[in-house]
Amino acid sequence: MTSAEKYLRAYDEQLRTDAETPSAVSVTRLGPLRLVTFAGGRGFITYRDLGDADAGRMAELVADGLEHFRADPEISGVEWKTRGHDRAPGLREALVANGFEPDEPESIMIGPLDALCENAPVPSGVTLRRVASEGEVRAMSAMVDEAFGDSVDTRIADALVARLERGDGMELWVAETDGAMVCGGRLEPVPGTDFVGIWGGATLPAYRGRGIYRALTAARARSALDADKKLVHSDSTEDSRPILERSGLVKVSTTTPFNWTRR
């Protein structure tokens, strides 16, 4: 097996379980699906595999999964997480028919944590640190929304604050220059596995191309190594994928989120 094949097998076996959603408020099983409710009215649908489901069965699963969340008026949106290497006949068509809209595909990146720590100097004038106070978490969340070109979503900040209060292992990191946050991201240790996830990494457009994201990624990796983790995974945009590839991570598959929004 190649490294990519080994990493993909570890991904499917270790990460496509409840370990994928440590901040879930509730999880309901529907056949092979895990229907996950997060704080802030967010639904999420995932699974390890879909077995031998044909297109007809796929249409039933999509409709029934969505109906589960439709029945809860507190749910404002649902994400169905697809993976490019899954056998899923008719899934895309069923999702679109039920009002789900695809986002841009992202690369599933996996590799050794220690590789992220090499050749990642902190740029001059930049400070890296963890944040934990509510005010700082909300400021970081708003900055990341801005970096991604999204409207500020206070529900995401609410969920991050609640998770820090629960102490589930998540860490929030930022890079600052001249006292302002310009880059941020999460570190998500996966209990019972060799993995840690690096998520939500984003840099304000005016500060890209300076090595800030690379340095913040290395800081998160060093923190994970201190906790005896060995492997890192991340769903990466085309902005961050080349950076992670240069750091020794391998693209093992793709993931495309399909989103439904209550009208």
Side-chain angles (χ1 to χ4, degrees), residues 28 35 37 41 43 45 62-78 260 262:
T28 300
L35 310 179
T37 298
I45 299 177
V62 172
D64 292 346
L66 179 57
E67 182 55 33
H68 168 82
F69 290 110
R70 279 185 185 272
D72 182 350
E74 297 298 317
I75 297 295
S76 59
V78 180
W260 173 87
R262 191 184 295 275

Side-chain angles (χ1 to χ4, degrees), residues 11 81 106-109 198-200 233-237 240 255:
Y11 173 87
K81 187 176 179 69
E106 296 181 338
S107 299
I108 300 174
M109 308 294 295
I198 288 180
W199 301 101
H233 73 107
S234 179
D235 294 348
S236 299
T237 66
S240 56
T255 178

Side-chain angles (χ1 to χ4, degrees), residues 21 38 54 95 154 159 163 170 179 193 212 222 226 228 238 244 250 263:
T21 53
F38 291 118
D54 59 14
L95 289 168
T154 58
R163 289 189 61 189
M170 176 190 69
T193 75
I212 297 175
R222 283 190 286 269
D226 289 343
D228 295 325
E238 284 304 290
L244 296 180
V250 177
R263 303 302 180 186

Side-chain angles (χ1 to χ4, degrees), residues 20 30 33-36 38 43-47 61-62 64-69 78-83 95 100 258:
E20 184 180 6
L30 175 65
L33 306 181
R34 292 172 54 247
L35 310 179
V36 182
F38 291 118
F44 182 75
I45 299 177
T46 185
Y47 41 86
L61 287 171
V62 172
D64 292 346
L66 179 57
E67 182 55 33
H68 168 82
F69 290 110
V78 180
E79 176 187 335
W80 185 298
K81 187 176 179 69
T82 71
R83 276 85 166 188
L95 289 168
F100 285 85
F258 281 73

Side-chain angles (χ1 to χ4, degrees), residues 113-124:
L113 260 172
D114 52 6
L116 293 180
C117 301
E118 301 172 0
N119 303 315
V122 180
S124 177

Side-chain angles (χ1 to χ4, degrees), residues 99-158:
F100 285 85
E101 298 180 355
D103 278 350
E104 290 297 316
E106 296 181 338
S107 299
I108 300 174
M109 308 294 295
I110 298 180
L113 260 172
D114 52 6
L116 293 180
C117 301
E118 301 172 0
N119 303 315
V122 180
S124 177
V126 174
T127 300
L128 310 178
R129 66 184 182 93
R130 287 177 62 180
V131 296
S133 71
E134 180 172 349
E136 290 182 327
V137 171
R138 293 189 182 280
M140 171 195 165
S141 183
M143 180 273 297
V144 169
D145 285 340
E146 179 184 350
F148 278 124
D150 299 329
S151 299
V152 173
D153 189 342
T154 58
R155 296 173 303 172
I156 295 176
D158 292 341

